[in-house]
Amino acid sequence: MFHGTRDFPQPLPSEITPRAVYENRRALLRGLATGAAGATLAAWAGRTALAQAQRPGKLAPLAAVPSRVSGAMVLDKPTRYQDATSYNNFYEFGTDKDDPARNAHTLRISPWSVEVEGLVHKPGRFGVEDLLKLSTLEERVYRLRCVEGWSMVIPWVGYSLAALIARVQPLGSAKYVEFVTLADKATMPFVGARILDWPYLEGLRLDEALHPLTLLAFGMYGEVLPKQNGAPVRLVVPWKYGFKSAKSIVKIRFTEREPATAWVKAAPQEYGFYANVNPDVDHPRWSQATERRIGEGGLFAPKRKTLPFNGYAEQVAQLYAGMDLRRFF
């Protein structure tokens, strides 16, 4: 339901023109249609060129390599940077969609550290500068689906959360991972509002956290994350509703019990712990069968059909084999 984004790609080389981007995309689609051996390479080239062409030049660049993780580079047209940074859920800065962009300038993101604790062999505190060096930064283009029925497509920069998990070495008793967002009344004016328990807390089952698509993100659109999108480090779990992707993370905790997350505590009949995108399980107040893609024709444009697991079923459906997804929503 909320939280934002930011990326750090390299500057667009002069030889990569809009025409080149178009031709790369055409070549990729031809390769997919014919099964050509070069389709994979064309995919990386096309997606990199497209994301670089959209680098806004607003914030510091963040260099990354195209990801080779299955499902990490969708072909959907990316949402405009202006839309992705001005239409956000980040309730620490207000409940209207434009509040985060207007209010998040007060957030202090340097220095910043993330404490890792709980059921791990190697707990510790990591500065964001250390996290940036922990693994190779990758560019990934993910769909983002909000529980409210709207969606975006965002080029992120980061790496699989599994890299950090391997570093801290969970104990055998660890079954879940909690993510805690900063809750600083001095810089986040809506912390303390009655709508939620603070700090904002989210969680994943350990196998979900270890899935290669689960991203620890430091940037978007080739630049560092904007504050309204969860700077300086956030989670992105593309097959789940957006509220699962905690922003401005200050603590990661490994536990044996399922975390009591912010929205489950606030409205358990509306927001489940798993929150997998599912067109067959409606929100109590609206259908989830369709979605409105931000930037596509306004409020009255035809809606898209919602894809099971947000289009990532091939990669993640096995995580939930045998589960009743209506009960575990």
Side-chain angles (χ1 to χ4, degrees):
M1 180 172 206
F2 23 41
H3 291 42
T5 59
R6 187 195 276 180
D7 288 57
F8 311 52
Q10 293 177 331
L12 175 63
S14 58
E15 67 271 16
I16 299 180
T17 64
R19 179 66 182 177
V21 173
Y22 172 73
E23 293 298 341
N24 275 328
R25 285 176 61 81
R26 286 190 62 192
L28 170 60
L29 293 173
R30 285 198 301 270
L32 291 173
T34 62
T40 299
L41 292 178
W44 304 139
R47 295 314 301 172
T48 300
L50 181 60
Q52 287 178 333
Q54 293 192 337
R55 186 186 161 229
K58 303 287 186 182
L59 298 167
L62 192 61
V65 300
S67 179
R68 294 184 178 275
V69 171
S70 174
M73 304 288 279
V74 302
L75 296 178
D76 305 43
K77 178 182 177 182
T79 302
R80 292 190 316 145
Y81 179 86
Q82 177 60 31
D83 291 330
T85 57
S86 63
Y87 192 90
N88 306 103
N89 283 319
F90 201 167
Y91 281 19
E92 288 84 341
F93 297 103
T95 56
D96 289 338
K97 292 295 182 285
D98 57 354
D99 281 345
R102 183 168 55 248
N103 298 327
H105 65 278
T106 58
L107 179 64
R108 291 192 293 266
I109 59 173
S110 182
W112 191 280
S113 63
V114 178
E115 185 177 1
V116 181
E117 63 179 29
L119 301 176
V120 293
H121 288 286
K122 295 183 177 181
R125 185 180 296 272
F126 297 81
V128 69
E129 63 279 2
D130 300 317
L131 290 173
L132 282 164
K133 300 173 184 176
L134 184 65
S135 187
T136 301
L137 294 177
E138 298 181 1
E139 177 188 80
R140 300 188 182 188
V141 184
Y142 283 172
R143 301 179 193 93
L144 172 69
R145 173 62 155 81
C146 182
V147 72
E148 297 169 339
W150 54 266
S151 64
M152 296 184 182
V153 177
I154 296 176
W156 300 97
V157 174
Y159 52 75
S160 295
L161 176 65
L164 177 58
I165 294 176
R167 177 71 173 269
V168 300
Q169 298 179 13
L171 301 178
S173 54
K175 301 293 189 297
Y176 296 90
V177 189
E178 293 181 354
F179 304 90
V180 183
T181 290
L182 178 70
D184 178 16
K185 290 184 179 180
T187 63
M188 302 171 121
F190 283 76
V191 167
R194 294 182 180 180
I195 188 170
L196 290 173
D197 237 357
W198 306 100
Y200 187 86
L201 187 149
E202 256 307 333
L204 297 172
R205 217 169 54 190
L206 182 57
D207 60 342
E208 295 176 317
L210 285 167
H211 194 282
L213 283 176
T214 300
L215 184 69
L216 196 63
F218 303 90
M220 67 188 220
Y221 295 86
E223 300 179 356
V224 296
L225 285 168
K227 293 180 178 181
Q228 63 268 32
N229 291 95
V233 56
R234 61 166 292 163
L235 189 70
V236 184
V237 191
W239 69 93
K240 295 179 178 289
Y241 293 119
F243 69 85
K244 295 296 293 184
S245 296
K247 296 179 178 180
S248 300
I249 296 171
V250 293
K251 185 174 292 187
I252 299 175
R253 181 185 297 117
F254 290 75
T255 70
E256 189 172 6
R257 295 184 178 182
E258 182 179 295
T261 57
W263 279 102
V264 169
K265 286 191 288 185
Q269 72 283 3
E270 298 188 18
Y271 308 106
F273 174 79
Y274 284 94
N276 293 319
V277 177
N278 190 340
D280 298 324
V281 177
D282 292 335
H283 186 279
R285 291 181 279 129
W286 56 79
S287 169
Q288 294 289 19
T290 60
E291 64 194 61
R292 176 172 60 92
R293 181 66 55 85
I294 299 300
E296 286 188 348
L299 289 172
F300 302 104
K303 292 185 176 182
R304 293 170 171 259
K305 289 185 177 180
T306 297
L307 301 175
F309 296 105
N310 205 24
Y312 298 94
E314 181 179 350
Q315 289 79 25
V316 305
Q318 73 277 4
L319 294 174
Y320 312 100
M323 289 179 62
D324 181 351
L325 298 183
R326 291 186 174 274
R327 177 184 175 191
F328 299 100
F329 65 95

